[in-house]
Amino acid sequence: MKRIVLSLGGSVLVPDLESHRITGYASVLAEISGRHRLAVVVGGGGEARRYITAARKLGIDDGTADDLGILVTRLNATLLAGALGEAAYPRIATTYDEAAGYASCGKIVVMGGVIPGQTTDAVAALLAERIRADLLVNATSVDAIYSADPKKEPRAKRQDRLTPARLRDILSVDRLKAGESTVFDMVAARILERSGVPLAVLDGRDPAILRQAILEGEFSGTLVTAGKKSPFPLE
Ligand code: UTP
């Protein structure tokens, strides 16, 4: 039994409220929790971005706009926890201490954002560090990390394997382009580097890809580790 933290992008789980992937994810996550200890950090997706844009247009400061984003991540987290039913701890954790406490009951812990100035990837990385997770998984809306943004750089190479330092290099180039969200949060990458928790970035648009990696050991995506050892298959 391994400890796994999953960063589940809001744009992956709830692209919009009318066509979400909550049902598909709930069954895969419940199955995973039968074999491993699982905590899920849910993102805000398009809805969070819409609230943040509306807040900016009203002249509201960025910290308050972030608070709105956090509220949306918790709304999405509440939907997921509800769909998980008995498999999940019934409260959404709002701090790392709460999450660590809830985890001791053996059910799936669900949380959203915590404080302004970061994204839920950072929350997931900090939680993974706190609970000494064996693996951090980032389920996102691309199939892997590339050497540059493949939409703008046709020669960008898919990366099967990266060190945390190389991940930071790739992210820092991306960050120079203002206002663009990156495949993984820079704060999260720094936490990962110090904690040494392995990161698996995979395509979250199909929950079967997560199931295959965690339960069958067939991982496809980008693995970020300091050493050569792969965490897959998870024993
Ligand atoms: P997300 O983590 O969803 O951002 O948080 P994201 O990476 O842009 O989106 P997806 O979900 O992967 O598509 C949404 C917003 O909530 C605020 C930030 O403003 C963030 O952009 N937030 C979230 C915080 O301020 N602190 C947190 O701990 C989490």
Side-chain angles (χ1 to χ4, degrees):
M1 180 173 278
K2 300 285 187 192
R3 284 171 200 246
I4 302 167
V5 175
L6 171 66
S7 178
L8 189 49
S11 44
V12 161
L13 186 69
V14 193
D16 54 64
L17 280 166
E18 288 71 31
S19 62
H20 58 74
R21 296 189 177 92
I22 295 175
T23 320
Y25 264 105
S27 66
V28 167
L29 297 178
E31 199 184 346
I32 292 172
S33 80
R35 297 248 298 267
H36 302 288
R37 284 273 173 95
L38 184 61
V40 185
V41 183
V42 181
E47 204 65 24
R49 267 188 286 277
R50 280 192 282 279
Y51 269 95
I52 290 166
T53 305
R56 289 218 177 102
K57 283 188 183 149
L58 289 166
I60 293 171
D61 66 282
D62 277 356
T64 307
D66 279 345
D67 280 339
L68 282 166
I70 293 169
L71 287 171
V72 178
T73 65
R74 290 181 182 158
L75 287 174
N76 288 341
T78 306
L79 278 177
L80 178 65
L84 283 165
E86 281 294 298
Y89 191 85
R91 291 228 183 98
I92 302 306
T94 56
T95 65
Y96 302 104
D97 281 345
E98 278 179 8
Y102 297 170
S104 60
C105 78
K107 295 199 174 199
I108 302 173
V109 175
V110 186
M111 70 187 295
V114 174
I115 51 159
Q118 58 179 33
T119 75
T120 46
D121 288 340
V123 176
L126 282 157
L127 181 60
E129 181 180 59
R130 176 72 67 99
I131 65 169
R132 298 177 194 281
D134 299 290
L135 181 67
L136 171 62
V137 180
N138 184 30
T140 184
S141 51
V142 289
D143 65 348
I145 294 176
Y146 286 73
S147 54
D149 185 345
K151 285 189 211 114
K152 288 166 204 143
E153 179 52 71
R155 281 173 302 177
K157 283 209 183 78
R158 187 189 149 106
Q159 308 288 304
D160 291 334
R161 209 68 204 237
L162 290 172
T163 60
R166 177 74 187 120
L167 172 66
R168 210 159 29 78
D169 286 349
I170 291 174
L171 295 178
S172 60
V173 171
D174 261 10
R175 245 165 56 117
L176 296 178
K177 295 161 200 154
E180 285 181 20
S181 76
T182 52
V183 62
F184 197 66
D185 179 328
M186 182 62 125
V187 180
R190 284 212 195 90
I191 302 298
L192 205 74
E193 203 170 357
R194 76 175 188 194
S195 71
V197 176
L199 166 70
V201 179
L202 51 74
D203 193 334
R205 291 168 294 190
D206 179 0
I209 294 174
L210 175 71
R211 190 192 173 284
Q212 226 169 29
I214 304 296
L215 295 179
E216 288 163 22
E218 285 167 35
F219 170 68
S220 166
T222 302
L223 197 58
V224 183
T225 55
K228 290 220 164 69
K229 206 167 159 273
S230 169
F232 296 105
L234 294 173
E235 295 306 327

